[in-house]
Amino acid sequence: MSGRVRLGVNIDHVATVRNARGGVHPDPVRAAREALAAGADGITAHLREDRRHITDTDIEALSDLCAEAGRPLNLEMAVTDEMLAIALRHRPHAACLVPERRDEVTTEGGLAVAGHEARIGPVAKALADVGVRVSLFIEPSIEQVEAAHAVGAQVVEFHTGRYCHLSGDDRAIEFDRLQAAASRAVDLGLEVHAGHGLDYETAADMMGIAEVRELNIGHFLIGEAVFVGLTNAIHRMRAAMDRACEATA
């Protein structure tokens, strides 16, 4: 592993708790500020079509916060005209195109890029044309990596949920799949990120894939914050990642 792997903190579920009761507490923007102060390299937020957690007002405030802090905002978004218009208005550092279904509890898999290039390509181009870095949240599949490259993505973020739910030989097979997809992505000039379902242990595992340059982690960190505080949770995650990097150097 060469170089420090960045840690992006997803603050969606602070907004989930806020919205469960209404009102303004807990404030996801406050959480983002604390995350940055604790060493997060950037903030990730998913503005869903149904606004179940992050809201338009949150995105405005997060855009201002990240600009002031000089840290990137990674806007997760569905491939829709509405979300494209919002992204073009705010021009975050990066936009990560993700699949979205109204009845899912959380994102259940990667974006199907292969076979849908005609729909995804124009959105990717529109974002890139205004200087937004285009990321695609995909399964660790060679086919999806090649399709992401074909539509003009600069980054692929691999869905690690399957890896995190497996064990033993099945997990080892999935790790090899992640490794192969990451290698192909770098061959094509794409930067490699990973996220979904990661905890201290599985985030450290991802450090064994030399091509990974960034992890985006949310639900686990927000859950840990209930017990140890957000700053401590981020420090522990950063330490787990760094130890694993040193071990593979």
Side-chain angles (χ1 to χ4, degrees):
M1 173 67 66
S2 61
R4 181 176 182 273
V5 175
R6 298 185 299 272
L7 173 61
V9 175
N10 185 314
I11 46 82
D12 289 353
H13 293 299
V14 177
T16 300
V17 175
R18 175 197 62 192
N19 296 354
R21 287 283 297 268
V24 298
H25 299 290
D27 180 8
V29 180
R30 179 182 175 187
R33 186 179 294 109
E34 183 169 333
L36 293 174
D41 296 292
I43 297 299
T44 293
H46 183 178
L47 183 65
R48 281 183 171 266
E49 292 181 271
D50 61 8
R51 309 309 199 262
R52 69 177 63 170
H53 38 60
I54 294 296
T55 67
D56 299 75
T57 301
D58 294 331
I59 293 297
E60 290 178 11
L62 290 168
S63 296
D64 291 342
L65 172 66
C66 289
E68 291 169 7
R71 305 281 184 88
L73 174 63
N74 176 35
L75 173 63
E76 293 185 340
M77 54 176 275
V79 185
T80 67
D81 291 342
E82 180 197 18
M83 291 301 149
L84 176 59
I86 290 169
L88 294 177
R89 182 165 69 250
H90 291 290
R91 299 190 182 187
H93 170 77
C96 185
L97 305 184
V98 302
E100 189 171 309
R101 293 193 301 112
R102 291 292 179 95
D103 58 348
E104 66 186 0
V105 175
T106 185
T107 305
E108 295 175 346
L111 183 68
V113 185
H116 299 278
E117 292 90 346
R119 179 173 67 94
I120 296 169
V123 174
K125 183 178 187 304
L127 292 166
D129 283 349
V130 297
V132 176
R133 200 170 194 216
V134 179
S135 174
L136 301 185
F137 184 72
I138 61 173
E139 292 297 317
S141 150
I142 301 298
E143 178 187 32
Q144 296 300 334
V145 168
E146 293 177 346
H149 177 258
V151 299
Q154 296 158 285
V155 179
V156 287
E157 179 171 337
F158 292 131
H159 177 248
T160 52
R162 177 175 168 79
Y163 176 84
C164 294
H165 285 104
L166 294 172
S167 61
D169 291 344
D170 290 336
R171 176 174 278 191
I173 291 168
E174 185 67 9
F175 184 89
D176 290 344
R177 186 171 172 245
L178 283 156
Q179 177 65 79
S183 296
R184 181 58 178 150
V186 170
D187 287 345
L188 292 171
L190 299 168
E191 184 168 298
V192 176
H193 300 176
H196 200 81
L198 296 171
D199 58 18
Y200 299 132
E201 176 188 353
T202 51
D205 291 346
M206 293 302 107
M207 301 301 93
I209 301 174
E211 294 84 357
V212 170
R213 304 312 315 143
E214 178 174 308
L215 299 183
N216 285 296
I217 304 175
H219 185 267
F220 177 77
L221 288 173
I222 302 308
E224 278 291 284
V226 173
F227 303 104
V228 303
L230 184 57
T231 294
N232 285 335
I234 291 171
H235 286 172
R236 292 183 185 185
M237 182 61 74
R238 180 74 264 170
M241 292 167 61
D242 290 345
R243 283 194 302 270
C245 283
E246 292 169 5
T248 58

